[in-house]
Amino acid sequence: MKNNKKVQNAWCMYDWANSVYSLTITTAIFPSYYAAIMPERPDKVNFLGFEFYSSALYSFALAAVFLIAAILSPILTPIADNTGKKKFFMQMFCYLGSLGCAYLFFFHKDAGVLSQFTLTTSILAFIVAGLGYSGSIVFYNSFLPEIATEDQYDKLSARGFAMGYIGSVLLLIFNITMLTMPDLYFNVNGKVDELMASGISNVEAVDQAKSFYSGVAARISFLSVGIWWFLFAQYSFYYLPSNVYKKESHGNWLWSGFRELKKVFSEVRKEKYLKIFLPGFFFYNLGVQTVMYMAVIFAEGELKLKMSELIIVILIIQLLAIVGANMSAKLSGKIGNISTLRYINMIWVLVCIAAYFVQTDVQFYGLAVVVGFIMGGVQSISRSTYAKLIPENTTDHASYFSFYDVAEKLSCFFGLFLFGAIEELTGSMRPSTLTLGIIFIIGITLLSFIPSLKSYSGQSELMLDHSGKNA
């Protein structure tokens, strides 16, 4: 089964399928649409009985996604390992996420008013969509050591991320044409005539018609994400193996799952470098994910950049991330995985410091170019490095990856919560960027205690056994 090209292509195809969520929903169109439809400062909105600034609510909603996912992951992954139903859980989260995205089509104002019901259900749908994405990823990642030999981890991980960037860009380009050229898709002139018949001037009617259909186009883009994600995932689910180790479930699933988790946890505690990598990953990933999720909100809130300007930047970042992912895979073969991660994270520190001082759109664009290169690299190499640190003879890959997933989700939760909390306290997002820089430094410091694993021939720079001792 390992190194089967058809299976590996199917695995990469899931990145193609689900990455449209990351780009359209959490990065490009939804944050801008959200900012446009929600009240601006100093007004707050009510969500489940609490008052929030709209940007802080966005941050807290994302934080809730990662907290829930972090709780579910260590419960479900050992059940998946024990029963051989890893693909089943991956499918269920995929379908949950795609439905959540599709529901965001109904997130709009009725007669110029955003009802409390619409606001509440849409934020909940946003959380459900994120939970579907986050929940499926842990099972998806855990297939890596089952479908490839160790010497292929870096390249395959990079190829998966590259496929995700390409697929998400293609759908985004289609959605952008709807947003920027609504005349190609909608009867704009008919809407103009309707508005003019009500006594509105021609110029104002044209502006209102284009604004109306831009909103419709944004909502259709959310629906398209749900459909795209669902449809292309079917190719992955068709070819990915269902039960590689032919495990059979016995007794109560939940109780057996907890026993499996306890067993894997005791094994993880014996892995010297795994115990160092996980907290190191927690800290630097906290910075990476927070920057990625809040960049658009930062640009709109602090720099007042328009959606049309940001879309172009986002496309450039995605394309550069493809280059960055492949370059980092090659670099890791020369200097090792951990050294590659340390250098990439040093650049992230500089990005955070620079973000604090950014004042113009040109400065922001320059910073975005740098982020594009290092974004793909840090994600793909982190995943493959963790796969190399897992004991070679284990069959509990989902359970092992649950620790990686929990570290990832908790870092996202604390990062977004921290970002929102600092904004609530200071009234600005800039102080948060310096805080993230300090957090990156903590991650780099922890990584310095791990030998730099190389990617070629399945060998490491230091021949290590899995207790972290020189062999």
Side-chain angles (χ1 to χ4, degrees):
M1 183 61 68
K2 288 190 176 183
N3 297 340
N4 181 298
K5 294 300 181 183
K6 186 170 291 186
V7 173
Q8 290 184 349
N9 289 337
W11 184 79
C12 291
M13 182 57 72
Y14 190 71
D15 243 320
W16 170 286
N18 72 7
S19 291
V20 292
Y21 162 83
S22 295
L23 184 56
T24 298
I25 302 297
T26 63
T27 305
I29 297 179
F30 184 79
S32 296
Y33 179 81
Y34 177 90
I37 199 173
M38 297 290 277
E40 297 182 356
R41 289 177 180 275
D43 294 333
K44 292 190 175 186
V45 295
N46 182 286
F47 179 70
L48 300 180
F50 298 94
E51 298 288 328
F52 301 96
Y53 290 125
S54 60
S55 56
L57 175 59
Y58 180 86
S59 179
F60 291 146
L62 279 175
V65 167
F66 297 120
L67 179 61
I68 297 170
I71 294 171
L72 290 178
S73 182
I75 296 174
L76 298 181
T77 50
I79 294 176
D81 275 333
N82 192 57
T83 61
K85 294 185 177 295
K86 179 161 57 179
K87 188 165 74 170
F88 168 79
F89 283 111
M90 181 177 163
Q91 286 177 293
M92 293 303 100
F93 277 108
C94 167
Y95 300 151
L96 183 70
S98 59
L99 286 172
C101 292
Y103 184 86
L104 291 175
F105 175 81
F106 301 102
F107 185 30
H108 68 99
K109 292 181 178 179
D110 187 10
V113 177
L114 180 63
S115 71
Q116 188 62 51
F117 175 80
T118 299
L119 169 64
T120 302
T121 56
S122 298
I123 295 298
L124 291 175
F126 176 65
I127 293 173
V128 167
L131 184 59
Y133 174 81
S134 299
S136 67
I137 286 297
V138 61
F139 300 104
Y140 165 68
N141 286 340
S142 67
F143 273 103
L144 180 58
E146 294 179 4
I147 64 173
T149 51
E150 187 175 326
D151 60 304
Q152 297 296 312
Y153 288 175
D154 290 339
K155 292 180 181 178
L156 185 58
S157 181
R159 184 152 67 93
F161 275 105
M163 285 285 288
Y165 293 134
I166 294 170
S168 58
V169 164
L170 290 177
L171 183 61
L172 183 62
I173 290 174
F174 167 73
N175 288 326
I176 287 173
T177 62
M178 282 197 299
L179 288 165
T180 58
M181 295 179 283
D183 304 71
L184 297 177
Y185 301 91
F186 309 107
N187 184 15
V188 177
N189 290 332
K191 186 69 174 179
V192 170
D193 292 340
E194 177 187 329
L195 292 170
M196 290 180 64
S198 64
I200 298 176
S201 67
N202 179 263
V203 174
E204 189 176 355
V206 170
D207 289 341
Q208 288 190 22
K210 288 185 176 180
S211 176
F212 172 79
Y213 282 116
S214 290
V216 173
R219 291 162 52 211
I220 291 176
S221 73
F222 309 149
L223 179 61
S224 72
V225 168
I227 295 173
W228 176 290
W229 187 358
F230 176 85
L231 290 179
F232 281 109
Q234 301 312 308
Y235 180 84
S236 301
F237 296 144
Y238 184 81
Y239 285 106
L240 284 175
S242 295
N243 191 351
V244 174
Y245 301 109
K246 308 300 180 183
K247 293 188 176 181
E248 297 181 2
S249 57
H250 300 285
N252 183 280
W253 281 16
L254 186 60
W255 178 244
S256 298
F258 279 121
R259 284 188 302 179
E260 191 81 13
L261 182 64
K262 182 181 178 181
K263 183 192 77 173
V264 174
F265 179 66
S266 66
E267 294 174 359
V268 170
R269 292 177 62 186
K270 299 175 184 177
E271 302 291 329
K272 177 181 177 181
Y273 294 120
L274 205 59
K275 290 192 297 183
I276 300 173
F277 179 80
L278 283 171
F281 172 71
F282 169 85
F283 282 104
Y284 75 72
N285 189 67
L286 186 155
V288 171
Q289 297 296 330
T290 306
V291 170
M292 289 170 56
Y293 280 114
M294 299 306 296
V296 171
I297 298 295
F298 176 86
E300 289 186 328
E302 295 290 337
L303 304 178
K304 308 303 179 186
L305 297 186
K306 296 179 180 178
M307 180 178 173
S308 57
E309 298 171 316
L310 290 170
I311 290 295
I312 296 173
V313 175
I314 291 167
L315 285 173
I316 293 173
I317 288 176
Q318 297 297 306
L319 295 174
L320 291 175
I322 298 171
V323 179
N326 287 287
M327 286 178 60
S328 64
K330 293 180 180 179
L331 183 62
S332 68
K334 295 180 179 180
I335 67 172
N337 289 50
I338 299 297
S339 292
T340 300
L341 285 173
R342 283 201 300 262
Y343 289 135
I344 292 174
N345 280 294
M346 289 176 188
I347 301 174
W348 276 107
V349 173
L350 298 177
V351 166
C352 291
I353 296 172
Y356 181 83
F357 296 101
V358 165
Q359 298 293 336
T360 68
D361 53 353
V362 175
Q363 292 172 342
F364 180 78
Y365 298 153
L367 205 58
V369 169
V370 178
V371 169
F373 277 114
I374 59 179
M375 181 177 72
V378 74
Q379 290 180 308
S380 63
I381 292 300
S382 294
R383 178 167 64 185
S384 60
T385 300
Y386 186 78
K388 290 180 180 181
L389 290 170
I390 294 175
E392 295 179 9
N393 60 348
T394 185
T395 62
D396 297 319
H397 295 116
S399 296
Y400 266 96
F401 265 95
S402 74
F403 292 95
Y404 179 86
D405 187 66
V406 168
E408 180 182 38
K409 300 305 183 293
L410 286 180
S411 67
C412 291
F413 167 75
F414 284 111
L416 292 167
F417 185 86
L418 181 65
F419 199 96
I422 292 176
E423 182 190 359
E424 284 285 329
L425 291 172
T426 65
S428 171
M429 288 180 262
R430 291 183 184 274
S432 298
T433 63
L434 293 180
T435 304
L436 294 178
I438 296 172
I439 289 170
F440 272 114
I441 293 173
I442 297 174
I444 294 170
T445 302
L446 288 168
L447 290 178
S448 66
F449 293 100
I450 307 175
S452 193
L453 304 178
K454 284 194 174 181
S455 62
Y456 57 80
S457 304
Q459 302 297 317
S460 61
E461 186 177 44
L462 297 177
M463 295 298 292
L464 302 171
D465 63 22
H466 282 282
S467 63
K469 300 176 181 178
N470 288 346

